[in-house]
Amino acid sequence: MIAGAVTLTVAAGVGLGLWAGNDDSAPAGSTRTQAQAEQRSPSPSAAPPSPSPTPSPTRSYPLSTTPRTIPAVRAHTPAHGPGWRPASGRRVVVNDAGLADEGRLVAGELGLTYAGKKDDVRAGDVRLALDRGAGAAPESYRMTVRGGRVDISGPDDAGVFYGTRTLKQEVHGGGTAPEGVVRDRPAKPVRGFFLDMARKSFTAGWIEDRVRELGDLKYNRLQLHFSDDQGFRIASDTHPEIVSKGHLTKAQVRKIVALAAQRHITVVPEIDSPGHLGAVIAAHPELQLRSAAGNAPRGTVDISKPAAAEIVDDLLKEYADLFPGSEWHLGADEYQALMVSDPAATYPQLATAARAAYGAGGTVADLTTGWLNDRADTVRAAGRTPFAWNDGFFRGTSVRPAADIRVAYWTGKEIGARPPVEYLSAGRKVVNYNDEFLYYVLGQPNKFFYPRGQRIYEQWTPRVVRGTTAVSSKYDGQILGGYFAVWCDFPNAQTQAQVAAGIRMPLRATAQKLWDPGKPPLSWARFKALGDRLG
């Protein structure tokens, strides 16, 4: 520290809900701090002090500025001081052995020494601490840069990890973490990236690179859609006959899941049914749905056949061990039997099965809802929370979808698609996949255009669930968050490298709006420049 500088106590900043930790001192530059400084300084008419070999402290440093990160921090209390930057020999220490992963990761990234759990304090330290009794919001953190050290604390290890992401971005490219206190937390608990790896085979390395990118942007979900008409992309022990040539081994998936867990990302699997099962039907043609006229809609199993449910349940149970997270996406969209004008007449075997199961008034929609509920029972037995696409919920059925099935809302364009408010007013929790803003569809079919980060940044919020209009703010608590989605309808339209480049700024814009849905602090031009600088 330059001689003559003084470190000032920094305040907690503007309160934004419950933040990690407490800090009761006044902000640098506040009335209270200025008055204290005036009391310490002699008035112009006072007699000069006695000579001293040590000069009185003065404010040698300008007031710090808010750090520039993606997503932006939500509150920063500035202070006078030199800030902090990494240097060889400096340590990362923790107050809890449970923070070892976070400590080792940031130490390796910044060229520091990971010293483990320590109680001593040294100049230049980065200290990571769990503060479980603070009553702060989950995933929140406080980062204090003061006295040549950095302290990052939070109520859980996820929050501490996000603090290390902020520090990493602050010092990127030789920069300095500014003096002061950051208090930060996400607005939404679900911040996700969706990958259609069924239609296009992505390498394990490419997915691992996305996991690292997502972690640095404070995402916490990765959804893998690995089964569809075009392919089944993860090895299976129960049904190896359905697996496509280009697929991931279970060892590769475990590595991805472990890497994601280190970065507090839950990997959410999706096996879509009863539609989009073309890869399964290719190996089991006897499960194909056929109309009274003999037509066979692509990828659609006959849910009147018990064998169809058996094979899907086999797969759901098998992959429960591979994906240990708490969520499971069941698909349920675009079941072709319900996309015709008269399902009962077109598929009489489904109508017969519906009446057998639910009485004389049973419908094909009832039978399909029953299928969804049965699959939800399967994943619930494994301790998972079920999700389904919004067009898998139907109006006017006597069979109701289970109350705990959460709505993954992607479109209002499908036949019978219901507006978001219908789900929200019924008390359901919703995750936003709005195809108007958040769908990156290879080949741009059906009027899908590659989304621009600027449009997401300037026009979208988690409350804009369908189209371009936001739902009422009274439903904000039921909207858990959102996903930016890559769909591979035309898999050869882009290479893996082109996909990574194309989604780069949209991913960053989405991260910003899920972390803080308010008006961003930077213009799009400055945000894009920041994204280019941070890499």
Side-chain angles (χ1 to χ4, degrees):
M1 183 177 294
I2 299 174
V6 59
T7 302
L8 298 178
T9 305
V10 183
V14 178
L16 292 173
L18 291 174
W19 302 90
N22 297 296
D23 191 332
D24 298 326
S25 57
S30 70
T31 302
R32 174 182 158 192
T33 307
Q34 289 173 348
Q36 291 171 337
E38 289 166 1
Q39 290 172 2
R40 290 194 296 269
S41 302
S43 66
S45 60
S50 300
S52 170
T54 303
S56 299
T58 59
R59 293 183 175 181
S60 302
Y61 298 99
L63 198 63
S64 63
T65 58
T66 301
R68 294 303 184 196
T69 61
I70 297 176
V73 301
R74 299 185 68 183
H76 175 250
T77 303
H80 295 272
W84 180 93
R85 64 175 59 196
S88 178
R90 291 185 166 180
R91 307 183 307 172
V92 175
V93 299
V94 300
N95 79 335
D96 189 295
L99 293 172
D101 283 349
E102 291 76 16
R104 289 192 181 96
L105 178 62
V106 74
E109 292 170 331
L110 302 186
L112 308 177
T113 299
Y114 177 66
K117 187 177 178 181
K118 301 289 184 183
D119 294 324
D120 63 317
V121 177
R122 294 184 187 176
D125 275 355
V126 174
R127 184 170 189 82
L128 310 182
L130 287 176
D131 186 8
R132 301 187 191 278
E139 298 185 294
S140 66
Y141 68 92
R142 180 183 67 178
M143 182 171 70
T144 303
V145 179
R146 181 186 296 147
R149 296 190 302 274
V150 180
D151 290 284
I152 300 173
S153 63
D156 54 40
D157 49 356
V160 174
F161 172 73
Y162 298 140
T164 68
R165 301 306 86 195
T166 295
L167 180 64
K168 179 184 177 183
Q169 289 192 31
E170 286 177 334
V171 302
H172 177 83
T176 298
E179 202 86 2
V181 180
V182 167
R183 291 179 181 273
D184 205 8
R185 65 177 175 88
K188 293 297 179 183
V190 174
R191 306 177 302 281
F193 172 61
F194 170 101
L195 180 64
D196 170 13
M197 55 177 283
R199 291 178 174 92
K200 183 179 180 68
S201 178
F202 288 87
T203 65
W206 190 91
I207 298 173
E208 290 169 7
D209 286 344
R210 300 291 74 70
V211 169
R212 297 183 184 95
E213 181 179 18
L214 295 172
D216 283 352
L217 295 171
K218 303 185 176 83
Y219 280 90
N220 64 0
R221 298 290 193 281
L222 168 62
Q223 182 174 332
L224 297 180
H225 175 91
F226 63 90
S227 168
D228 212 306
D229 297 338
Q230 295 82 352
F232 193 98
R233 301 292 180 182
I234 295 178
S236 171
D237 299 319
T238 60
H239 292 282
E241 74 279 3
I242 71 174
V243 179
S244 302
K245 183 177 179 180
H247 68 271
L248 299 182
T249 66
K250 287 190 174 181
Q252 288 174 316
V253 174
R254 289 189 185 97
K255 185 179 177 184
I256 291 167
V257 169
L259 182 68
Q262 290 176 349
R263 286 155 173 79
H264 299 277
I265 296 170
T266 298
V267 182
V268 180
E270 181 194 353
I271 297 177
D272 203 346
S273 79
H276 295 283
L277 281 172
V280 172
I281 293 170
H284 293 276
E286 71 278 6
L287 301 181
Q288 172 69 58
L289 176 67
R290 295 187 181 277
S291 71
N295 297 319
R298 185 182 187 188
T300 308
V301 296
D302 186 337
I303 60 176
S304 70
K305 296 182 176 182
E310 290 170 5
I311 192 170
V312 173
D313 282 348
D314 286 346
L315 296 168
L316 295 176
K317 292 172 184 176
E318 175 182 356
Y319 292 108
D321 290 336
L322 191 61
F323 297 99
S326 61
E327 299 168 3
W328 197 293
H329 202 298
L330 297 169
D333 63 313
E334 297 181 321
Y335 187 51
Q336 297 294 315
L338 291 170
M339 299 176 73
V340 296
S341 59
D342 191 344
T346 306
Y347 302 102
Q349 74 274 36
L350 299 184
T352 299
R355 290 191 294 271
Y358 303 113
T363 66
V364 176
D366 287 325
L367 190 70
T368 308
T369 302
W371 170 283
L372 174 62
N373 285 341
D374 289 345
R375 307 294 76 77
D377 286 343
T378 301
V379 300
R380 196 183 296 110
R384 307 300 193 266
T385 298
F387 287 74
W389 298 114
N390 64 284
D391 52 328
F393 297 77
F394 310 106
R395 283 193 184 103
T397 56
S398 61
V399 180
R400 301 294 184 184
D404 65 336
I405 302 176
R406 296 177 176 181
V407 180
Y409 200 102
W410 71 282
T411 191
K413 301 171 185 174
E414 293 289 333
I415 295 174
R418 299 154 64 188
V421 72
E422 287 197 24
Y423 305 99
L424 294 166
S425 61
R428 288 196 185 270
K429 294 182 178 179
V430 172
V431 177
N432 188 333
Y433 296 72
N434 187 337
D435 63 348
E436 182 77 21
F437 288 90
L438 306 177
Y439 263 36
Y440 191 98
V441 185
L442 297 197
Q444 303 185 103
N446 302 321
K447 296 185 179 180
F448 282 112
F449 302 102
Y450 295 132
R452 295 183 299 116
Q454 182 173 0
R455 188 163 179 255
I456 298 169
Y457 189 76
E458 294 177 347
Q459 299 180 30
W460 179 80
T461 75
R463 285 172 45 214
V464 181
V465 181
R466 171 176 172 169
T468 59
T469 303
V471 299
S472 169
S473 60
K474 70 181 181 181
Y475 297 122
D476 188 62
Q478 291 173 240
I479 300 172
L480 300 178
Y483 278 79
F484 184 85
V486 171
W487 287 96
C488 301
D489 292 41
F490 290 91
N492 297 322
Q494 289 190 341
T495 65
Q496 289 188 146
Q498 288 172 322
V499 173
I503 66 176
R504 187 175 166 278
M505 286 311 298
L507 267 180
R508 283 150 179 76
T510 306
Q512 173 62 42
K513 301 306 284 288
L514 289 169
W515 194 263
D516 183 355
K519 183 177 180 180
L522 300 179
S523 67
W524 170 251
R526 293 179 66 193
F527 183 82
K528 185 176 183 302
L530 177 63
D532 292 341
R533 180 176 69 80
L534 293 176

